[in-house]
Amino acid sequence: MDDKRHHTAWRTVRQVPSGQIGQIYRHARMLRERQPAWNALLPLEAQDRTWLVDWSKGTLKVLCQSSVWISWLRRHEKTLLKQWNDRFPEAPAIRIDASVRPWPQWSQPPSKLRKTPHIAPTAPQSLLAVTQQVPEPVAAALRRWAATLDMLQAETLANASAKENGARFSE
């Protein structure tokens, strides 16, 4: 089992990787080193709501928790850029490009409510009347559709009466 031919030499994390992975690793390490410097430029409430993502070609790229912090960054852009340039003269910045952090897929904001469908009161009876004139498989589908429309009408009425009751009780 001590056969050296089947043993693969793994690189340790302490070694500097090469190629594209190495480039990503070095960029991530530089970003990790500069994040505390970015936080030092900001007041305490902004430190947990803005994250430095990249700096290149005179632009600091920042992710923000919400659009409120983007406007905050715009108001304080000159001061922040001056402090950044004093701290890092080798990578001067002339502007801040901020965007809102995307929502993680598992915590999407709630979807919009469905519109309540408008169903004509005579629709289920009309469908049931047509079932006598069509073949049986189509008639069975029309009967199921009529039952669904009946159920939706009942649900719409129940929701409307619940809203009316809520409005009445709140007065």
Side-chain angles (χ1 to χ4, degrees), residues 27-169:
H27 182 73
R29 198 173 74 224
M30 282 179 29
L31 183 60
R32 186 174 186 168
E33 291 169 0
R34 293 220 179 162
Q35 185 65 46
W38 170 254
N39 284 344
L41 303 177
L42 303 172
L44 194 57
E45 66 271 6
Q47 290 178 8
D48 292 337
R49 294 172 177 87
T50 61
W51 302 272
L52 182 65
V53 177
D54 193 15
W55 62 93
S56 61
K57 300 177 186 173
T59 303
L60 296 177
K61 294 183 181 174
V62 178
L63 281 179
C64 298
Q65 188 176 30
S66 69
S67 58
V68 171
W69 294 101
I70 291 177
S71 61
W72 184 90
L73 282 172
R74 286 188 187 134
R75 280 195 310 271
H76 297 89
E77 184 173 18
K78 286 183 182 179
T79 307
L80 292 171
L81 288 173
K82 183 180 180 323
Q83 292 173 350
W84 177 270
N85 291 337
D86 290 344
R87 172 95 180 180
F88 300 105
E90 74 280 0
I94 56 173
R95 70 186 199 105
I96 296 176
D97 183 18
S99 59
V100 175
R101 178 182 71 176
W103 285 85
Q105 189 174 18
W106 49 267
S107 67
Q108 287 291 328
S111 61
K112 294 181 179 177
L113 296 175
R114 292 184 336 197
K115 284 187 174 181
T116 305
H118 174 71
I119 302 167
T122 58
Q125 291 83 14
S126 300
L127 287 173
L128 290 174
V130 174
T131 58
Q132 315 308 340
Q133 304 160 1
V134 292
E136 183 52 36
V138 176
L142 289 176
R143 283 192 291 274
R144 287 193 306 271
W145 191 13
T148 302
L149 290 178
D150 274 335
M151 188 174 57
L152 286 174
Q153 281 180 340
E155 184 179 313
T156 303
L157 288 174
N159 288 342
S161 64
K163 285 181 186 177
E164 289 171 4
N165 289 339
R168 219 176 290 131
F169 290 131

